[in-house]
Amino acid sequence: MRFYTGDESGLIKCIDIDANVSLLEAQAQAAKRTKAAAKAKANLKAGEQAAAADTSLAGVEIRTVDGRVNRSNGIQQMCTTKWATNDRAFAVARKNGNIDVVGFEGEQLFTYTDEKFAERVSIKHNGRTINERSYVGLSASDSHFLSCTNMGEVRYQSFATSEAKLMKLPLDACRMRTHNERSSVFAVGGREHELSVWDAETLQESGAGAKPTPIFRAKNVANDFLNLRVPVWITDIQFTSEDATNPTLAVSTGHKQIRLYDARAQQRPVNDWEVSKHPIYHLQASHVRPELYFADNMGNVQQMDMRTGHVFGAFKGIAGAVKSISLSEDGAKIAVAGLDRYVRVFETGSMRRPLHRAYVKQRVSHVVWDWEHKDFSTQEIEEQEAEDIWETMDKAALKKKSNKRKAVAI
């Protein structure tokens, strides 16, 4: 298993976890090392210093791909993309306003700087004061990137030129997500900012001064039993269909609900469930089964059936609020990361048992599962090692025969 993380210190890290080493086995080996270090320390003579104990878990390798520790370069959004000179690269949106494209080996491929991030901000909106700009969404294709800030500033820009198409949406946007099949189609929502879906390509075709038309614009739910307006607070969005023209979406709210929208049916949600005791901040839809994974601000990650709204399981052992969720290619595993500085891997079946974890030292803001890195079983590894040994023996035998022939010829 291989993951890439972006953190609040501006670092991109690669984490390799051996799928054949269980968490219990790794913890047992770490406990033995700690016990041996404590015993060695007790037997030290006066004036001698004990070596630092190795508390890392077996089967985990961590390396830094890019960046130096600098909180002003903290990564707020991160995604993978294709690049002309590199097969794969990262697009990252940083706290200082930079949007960088970084290769998987750490090479800088593209940089854009938003000068507005250097300006001081103090705007009162919906009873709150917005004191700084931040990125709430980022997506990149092989030719363009699409970004959105909490000020509702959407930028659709080409990598080849400095030309960009801009759109201004309402303030206090909390999340922007793009469609899985069409990177130009995106959805935005936030505090008193109802869900809307747009196509960046139509912005490009509309020309200067033309008012863009959304693909879908949601309406707030009906008033409550006291006939009072229900406040809007969208925290995360997921596209749940391949159709980008009439999409279906799942939305989480800061008022503990998960809502499902169908652009073909109506503007109000077709399903509205209250599924948590705390505000829900992060949402991830499964690409294999009709399931949703959501995390609240108390570190609770739960699994829900999207057809019935039934919450049928939770993932235990998470100490801090979760900032990012990522699924494996087969949907059988889930990786979560957040403020407790751990990347944890769980099963997504009925057991939901923890498989492994890695301590990354910094608070993680985003985690990406590398689907192109394949895991091998112990049997496959042993078979490959045996094949390598036989190939080495065959080459040595051929070399020995050729040396004998040369000696005879002489």
Side-chain angles (χ1 to χ4, degrees):
M1 298 179 286
R2 176 172 291 174
F3 312 92
Y4 291 92
T5 61
D7 56 52
E8 295 180 355
S9 299
L11 302 178
I12 299 176
K13 293 185 177 182
C14 175
I15 304 171
D16 283 313
I17 296 180
D18 188 353
N20 300 307
V21 179
S22 67
L23 178 58
L24 292 177
E25 181 182 353
Q27 288 176 328
Q29 293 179 15
K32 287 181 180 179
R33 292 196 300 269
T34 303
K35 187 176 180 180
K39 186 176 180 180
K41 185 177 180 180
N43 295 331
L44 286 177
K45 297 179 181 179
E48 294 182 350
Q49 291 184 353
D54 182 13
T55 58
S56 60
L57 294 180
V60 178
E61 293 183 4
I62 303 175
R63 62 182 175 90
T64 301
V65 176
D66 176 69
R68 294 182 178 179
V69 176
N70 187 350
R71 294 191 67 85
S72 64
N73 292 333
I75 296 173
Q76 295 178 337
Q77 301 295 329
M78 178 177 171
C79 65
T80 56
T81 183
K82 296 288 184 180
W83 193 253
T85 56
N86 293 67
D87 291 337
R88 294 185 298 164
F90 301 106
V92 294
R94 301 185 183 274
K95 185 179 179 180
N96 60 5
N98 287 1
I99 293 179
D100 298 331
V101 179
V102 182
F104 269 48
E105 298 301 323
E107 60 273 21
Q108 290 288 333
L109 304 175
F110 173 83
T111 298
Y112 162 76
T113 301
D114 191 342
E115 297 178 355
K116 292 182 179 179
F117 274 70
E119 302 173 359
R120 291 186 177 182
V121 176
S122 182
I123 300 175
K124 291 185 178 180
H125 184 70
N126 295 328
R128 300 172 63 247
T129 301
I130 303 175
N131 294 319
E132 62 178 1
R133 278 183 169 83
S134 62
Y135 285 108
V136 297
L138 176 68
S139 176
S141 64
D142 56 353
S143 59
H144 292 78
F145 75 83
L146 180 65
S147 65
C148 180
T149 69
N150 60 336
M151 297 295 182
E153 300 158 341
V154 178
R155 172 176 288 269
Y156 184 62
Q157 180 170 328
S158 171
F159 290 124
T161 64
S162 59
E163 296 180 359
K165 296 298 178 181
L166 308 177
M167 183 173 65
K168 188 70 174 71
L169 294 175
L171 291 173
D172 221 353
C174 292
R175 199 70 174 99
M176 185 273 285
R177 292 272 194 181
T178 55
H179 194 271
N180 299 327
E181 303 296 330
R182 287 180 57 185
S183 60
S184 62
V185 175
F186 63 97
V188 187
R191 288 179 182 265
E192 298 305 327
H193 183 171
E194 193 54 86
L195 174 68
S196 58
V197 183
W198 308 80
D199 190 348
E201 291 181 357
T202 61
L203 299 180
Q204 194 171 12
E205 296 170 357
S206 60
K211 185 177 180 180
T213 303
I215 296 175
F216 172 73
R217 190 190 297 274
K219 283 185 177 180
N220 195 9
V221 296
N223 292 350
D224 61 13
F225 68 98
L226 294 176
N227 201 27
L228 298 176
R229 177 184 175 276
V230 178
V232 176
W233 184 8
I234 294 175
T235 56
D236 206 350
I237 307 165
Q238 286 285 317
F239 285 92
T240 58
S241 67
E242 297 181 357
D243 186 4
T245 306
N246 295 298
T248 59
L249 304 99
V251 165
S252 63
T253 75
H255 302 297
K256 314 168 191 177
Q257 300 111 347
I258 287 181
R259 295 168 178 166
L260 302 184
Y261 290 87
D262 189 344
R264 299 166 297 182
Q266 60 185 28
Q267 290 179 281
R268 286 194 168 99
V270 293
N271 285 307
D272 185 5
W273 300 299
E274 184 171 331
V275 295
S276 176
K277 297 180 179 179
H278 308 283
I280 302 171
Y281 279 174
H282 297 281
L283 187 67
Q284 179 66 47
S286 173
H287 56 280
V288 179
R289 297 180 291 272
E291 295 175 353
L292 291 171
Y293 303 90
F294 62 92
D296 58 29
N297 63 344
M298 301 299 290
N300 301 311
V301 180
Q302 295 175 285
Q303 189 173 355
M304 189 190 85
D305 190 332
M306 197 165 56
R307 296 166 296 186
T308 62
H310 175 61
V311 178
F312 56 87
F315 301 90
K316 304 295 184 181
I318 303 170
V322 172
K323 302 291 287 184
S324 182
I325 303 173
S326 184
L327 281 169
S328 62
E329 186 175 11
D330 59 1
K333 303 181 187 70
I334 185 174
V336 299
L339 300 185
D340 64 351
R341 297 174 170 85
Y342 277 95
V343 175
R344 303 174 189 270
V345 185
F346 296 89
E347 282 184 344
T348 59
S350 58
M351 297 297 292
R352 293 174 294 280
R353 63 187 179 93
L355 299 177
H356 222 302
R357 70 184 184 198
Y359 182 69
V360 295
K361 297 183 181 179
Q362 282 82 20
R363 297 197 296 184
V364 179
S365 57
H366 208 89
V367 60
V368 176
W369 197 307
D370 186 1
W371 287 359
E372 296 192 14
H373 179 79
K374 304 300 181 183
D375 296 326
F376 296 97
S377 64
T378 305
Q379 182 179 356
E380 290 173 334
I381 294 172
E382 291 176 353
E383 290 176 355
Q384 184 62 40
E385 290 176 350
E387 289 178 4
D388 294 340
I389 292 172
W390 282 110
E391 287 180 2
T392 305
M393 293 172 64
D394 293 339
K395 289 179 181 178
L398 290 172
K399 187 176 180 180
K400 189 174 181 179
K401 286 181 181 180
S402 63
N403 292 336
K404 285 183 179 180
R405 289 173 183 172
K406 289 179 182 178
V408 171
I410 293 171

